[in-house]
Amino acid sequence: MQRFIIQGGRRLEGDITVQGAKNSALPILAAALLCEGETVLTNCPKLSDVYAACRILTSIGCKCVMRDRTVTINADVPSRAVIPERLMQEMRSSIIFMGALLGRLGMCTLGFPGGCELGPRPIDLHLQAMRRMGVRITEENGILHCAAPRGLHGARIHLQFPSVGATENILLAAVRAEGETIVTNAAREPEITDLAQFLVKCGARIEGAGSGTIRILGTDKLTGCEYAVMPDRIVTATWLACAASTGGELRLLRTDSGSMTGILDAFEEMGCRCSQSEDTLCFAAGRPLKPLRYIKTMPYPGFPTDAQAIVMASLCKAAGTSVMEETIFENRFRHVEALVRMGADIRVAGRAAVIRGVHAMHGAQVSATDLRGGAAMLAAALGAEGETVLTEISHIDRGYDSPELVLQAVGAKIERR
Ligand code: UD1
């Protein structure tokens, strides 16, 4: 089992080139399944979740090769519409392959993605949407059998909640369905826009991605293309939190500040300086950091649930009391215990966490509880006095491409053992 050993208290300074977005790469890899010919996906981060998506593609009968940060997929003859249970469990977002398989083969068999570290992850909205498009779904011993005997057809679909995953599944199925699909209350996350841009480049007809209403006109054929994955806004937020916790200054290259409004607003409220030009973001930590009086996680363009733990790590040392409310997932404060062990003063009551800033944090032995919770511990450890041993870092490897190398290059003392 690998672990990070971190000697805290070093100010981060320098340049970081931001990796491609996991939450964009994964649905685009699924989308490649819809295309004939070759898809070349560049700026694809090296992550265990990306490798899992490649294994799913291979198990379906596609050719999928990753060299450095470029994945080449050939989906000319997908032969199996079944995702093995073991692969469904390996990556929670494997559910996005449902829309892609239905769009390409009109059928699929797959397990439930199951609960995860963040609590139950229901897929009722995904299933309702697929049914509206003509898919018959039956469940047998936890396995879903989905088939559209008369083909997929367009539909009007109103999502009760702007679910990111459900919106992606609808897009993936609707681009190959007969006729028009209109999705209302669609998720507006930038990764949805990135997926739609990829599909449009392959020949799909999609209007309104990035807004609450998306209109898709199905087409018979999509052809693979070359596409670069957008920069990862949550990874960007993580490096900002690491800089904030250490009183540092960073220049982030190849970022997309436009996609980070809610996050940058929070850091500015904390007294940090964020200045953007083209794809570069210059950041200087607030000294001291100011608290966030009240912030709650919301669907985009609100403050993202994925940044909650990460920003909380910085707030532990703010000069005052902050309140964070988690409205998206019910089990997303599991990192709090580790932060408290490192000297933070945090109380959780239901969906709210009250963070009273402390003067200093100290190193401790802690375990990553989930992907972003682990990233929060990393940020806290860098700003803490003494040594932190961070275990269970496979959670972090799901979303961060060589984080120790990135951080070493800007002055952190961190080692993978
Ligand atoms: C969510 C985040 C996304 C983040 C991802 C990975 C939001 C809105 N979405 O996306 O930004 O990148 O986690 O951490 O912040 N739900 C249902 N039924 C469904 C689908 C979802 O009840 O069929 C509920 C979920 O339980 C959850 C909420 O809707 O409370 C958000 O789910 P959704 O947007 O689908 O989650 P992800 O796609 O995983």
Side-chain angles (χ1 to χ4, degrees):
M1 271 243 258
Q2 297 192 334
R3 56 185 62 190
F4 285 137
I5 313 290
I6 303 143
Q7 310 294 337
R10 288 168 187 245
R11 188 168 175 267
L12 300 192
E13 210 171 350
D15 290 358
I16 292 178
T17 301
V18 176
Q19 70 180 63
K22 167 177 88 76
N23 291 343
S24 181
L26 298 178
I28 295 176
L29 284 169
L33 178 57
L34 294 165
C35 302
E36 286 167 33
E38 206 167 73
T39 295
V40 179
L41 196 57
T42 61
N43 200 32
C44 194
K46 288 182 164 175
L47 307 171
S48 51
D49 270 12
V50 165
Y51 305 146
C54 291
R55 278 197 288 280
I56 292 179
L57 284 168
T58 310
S59 79
I60 291 165
C62 305
K63 285 188 194 134
C64 184
V65 179
M66 184 163 192
R67 276 205 192 89
D68 196 23
R69 287 173 179 82
T70 298
V71 186
T72 306
I73 305 114
N74 185 308
D76 274 341
V77 275
S79 50
R80 272 166 60 85
V82 181
I83 302 184
E85 188 57 15
R86 145 186 73 81
L87 292 176
M88 278 306 286
Q89 294 301 329
E90 210 170 298
M91 181 183 61
R92 311 287 182 212
S93 37
S94 44
I95 191 67
I96 39 176
F97 278 86
M98 178 170 67
L101 274 169
L102 285 166
R104 184 66 193 267
L105 297 171
M107 60 165 90
C108 68
T109 300
L110 74 184
F112 278 94
C116 74
E117 311 89 44
L118 310 182
R121 251 172 155 166
I123 53 165
D124 53 314
L125 301 174
H126 304 236
L127 300 182
Q128 271 166 26
M130 294 301 116
R131 287 195 172 107
R132 290 199 48 95
M133 298 175 77
V135 181
R136 283 210 316 246
I137 304 173
T138 53
E139 189 206 325
E140 207 182 286
N141 303 326
I143 302 291
L144 291 164
H145 300 275
C146 314
R150 294 202 204 104
L152 293 170
H153 56 73
R156 282 184 160 267
I157 301 168
H158 179 78
L159 290 173
Q160 290 302 323
F161 180 88
S163 155
V164 176
T167 304
E168 287 164 351
N169 259 329
I170 296 169
L171 271 173
L172 293 167
V175 288
R176 292 290 297 266
E178 175 86 37
E180 186 180 68
T181 298
I182 296 174
V183 196
T184 50
N185 201 26
R188 293 182 282 166
E189 268 68 2
E191 294 77 15
I192 300 278
T193 313
D194 209 31
L195 169 64
Q197 274 169 5
F198 166 76
L199 287 166
V200 166
K201 205 170 173 193
C202 298
R205 287 176 288 178
I206 303 170
E207 278 170 20
S211 76
T213 303
I214 308 180
R215 185 170 163 267
I216 307 127
L217 207 55
T219 173
D220 284 344
K221 188 174 166 187
L222 297 176
T223 311
C225 68
E226 184 170 330
Y227 193 81
V229 176
M230 71 176 287
D232 195 313
R233 62 196 169 100
I234 306 300
V235 170
T236 308
T238 306
W239 305 146
L240 298 186
C242 293
S245 308
T246 62
E249 255 178 68
L250 289 178
R251 205 163 61 133
L252 295 161
L253 314 175
R254 224 194 274 162
T255 51
D256 177 9
S257 308
S259 66
M260 297 196 51
T261 335
I263 299 169
L264 294 184
D265 288 351
F267 279 110
E268 280 178 344
E269 206 182 318
M270 289 161 71
C272 304
R273 242 181 327 108
C274 312
S275 58
Q276 314 148 42
S277 58
E278 293 184 16
D279 63 354
T280 300
L281 172 62
C282 295
F283 178 88
R287 301 171 83 171
L289 287 169
K290 290 190 228 158
L292 292 177
R293 221 163 48 86
Y294 172 70
I295 190 157
K296 67 172 172 180
T297 60
M298 293 288 283
Y300 191 83
F303 180 75
T305 174
D306 277 355
Q308 178 255 108
I310 294 160
V311 169
M312 188 186 289
S314 306
L315 291 173
C316 291
K317 287 204 299 180
T321 300
S322 309
V323 177
M324 295 189 108
E325 189 185 342
E326 173 59 56
T327 73
I328 309 290
F329 290 108
E330 50 186 79
N331 195 14
R332 216 166 187 183
F333 284 135
R334 293 179 65 206
H335 49 279
V336 166
E337 200 185 315
L339 295 177
V340 168
R341 282 179 65 179
M342 298 170 77
D345 179 352
I346 307 171
R347 309 257 154 92
V348 174
R351 290 190 164 227
V354 179
I355 306 117
R356 289 201 178 84
V358 294
H359 184 64
M361 304 266 284
H362 53 78
Q365 170 130 13
V366 289
S367 285
T369 44
D370 57 84
L371 167 59
R372 306 303 171 187
M377 290 168 211
L378 202 55
L382 291 167
E385 287 163 10
E387 181 177 280
T388 295
V389 178
L390 178 54
T391 58
E392 305 283 345
I393 60 173
S394 55
H395 287 297
I396 298 177
D397 291 329
R398 285 187 40 225
Y400 293 84
D401 184 339
S402 321
E404 71 280 24
L405 303 184
V406 173
L407 290 166
Q408 280 162 10
V410 291
K413 194 144 187 252
I414 172 171
E415 205 186 304
R416 182 188 290 260
R417 274 194 213 148

